[in-house]
Amino acid sequence: MRDEQHLAALRIYWKAHQAFPAMAKLCEVVGLSSSSSVFALVGRLVDAGYLERVEGRIAPTKRFFARPLLGAVRAGVPQPATDEALELVTIDDYLVDDPNRSILCRVRGESMRDAGLLDGDIAVVERNAPASPGDVVVAVVDGDLTVKYLRRSQDRYFLQAANPDFADIHPKGSLEILGVVIGSFRRMRR
């Protein structure tokens, strides 16, 4: 259990500094009194897959950034809590299929609210993905950037909002699809 507390301290430090301190300072960060205790802790965290040794220093692994997935939680009638083991998941594992083609964009406005994309949400976009009518896409239409549903009428593509207060966008000149929205996330409170 103490290793979980030490791991939590390391995660907090990493969040603030995007790096780990030298081994001597690690004693202070994790609250241990001797460097031999820190070396033993690091060894256990390496064995558990949270850290790795790289060129004489420690570095976080993918597991270091993973968070416990509680499982399914009903939004309706409460359900009994279970003691089943929690799966560890990273946001990248869940939302990013190809890190070299994935970009993020912040949604502005209310035109896609009925698709679940609200003002301030971060959309995960897969660039150069084949887009089909019905996909939510990030597009450049006549030089302006937007996020909308891709639609097709006869032989022409157009963009449609997910809010009836907004008109369809029919390109006057060009329509370029930058990528397909494959997911999104939002912060509920600060």
Side-chain angles (χ1 to χ4, degrees):
M1 189 63 166
R2 292 276 302 160
D3 283 356
E4 289 177 17
Q5 292 171 337
H6 299 311
L7 180 60
L10 288 172
R11 284 178 171 149
I12 290 168
Y13 189 91
W14 181 270
K15 172 80 173 157
H17 303 282
Q18 297 297 301
F20 291 123
M23 289 299 248
K25 174 119 170 107
L26 271 178
C27 288
E28 180 183 324
V29 169
V30 297
L32 294 173
S33 58
S34 71
S35 57
S36 63
S37 298
V38 169
F39 278 104
L41 169 66
V42 167
R44 290 191 303 274
L45 294 177
V46 166
D47 291 344
Y50 291 104
L51 301 175
E52 63 183 348
R53 289 187 174 96
V54 178
E55 298 176 8
R57 296 189 57 86
I58 57 171
T61 63
K62 188 168 140 179
R63 183 181 175 106
F64 180 84
F65 298 104
R67 301 292 173 251
L69 178 64
L70 187 56
V73 177
R74 288 186 190 155
V77 177
Q79 68 190 36
T82 65
D83 290 333
E84 63 187 56
L86 299 178
E87 176 185 358
L88 292 177
V89 174
T90 68
I91 303 295
D92 270 14
D93 286 342
Y94 190 70
L95 289 175
V96 175
D97 294 330
D98 183 345
N100 296 314
R101 291 177 35 193
S102 297
I103 59 172
L104 305 175
C105 66
R106 189 175 310 277
V107 175
R108 288 288 176 228
E110 297 296 324
S111 74
M112 294 303 289
R113 71 163 191 226
D114 294 347
L117 289 175
L118 305 180
D119 187 55
D121 285 0
I122 303 292
V124 180
V125 181
E126 190 170 291
R127 293 181 299 165
N128 303 320
S132 300
D135 287 342
V136 176
V137 298
V138 173
V140 179
V141 59
D142 298 326
D144 293 329
L145 190 62
T146 189
V147 58
K148 298 284 184 281
Y149 280 115
L150 179 65
R151 301 291 189 205
R152 185 175 178 163
S153 175
Q154 288 119 19
D155 290 337
R156 305 222 359 119
Y157 287 95
F158 66 98
L159 301 173
Q160 183 181 52
N163 178 337
D165 296 337
F166 291 82
D168 293 343
I169 300 172
H170 295 271
K172 293 176 179 57
S174 64
L175 175 63
E176 176 189 357
I177 306 302
L178 293 182
V180 176
V181 175
I182 60 170
S184 67
F185 55 95
R186 75 179 55 102
R187 186 175 193 121
M188 301 302 282
R189 65 184 280 198
R190 275 226 178 249

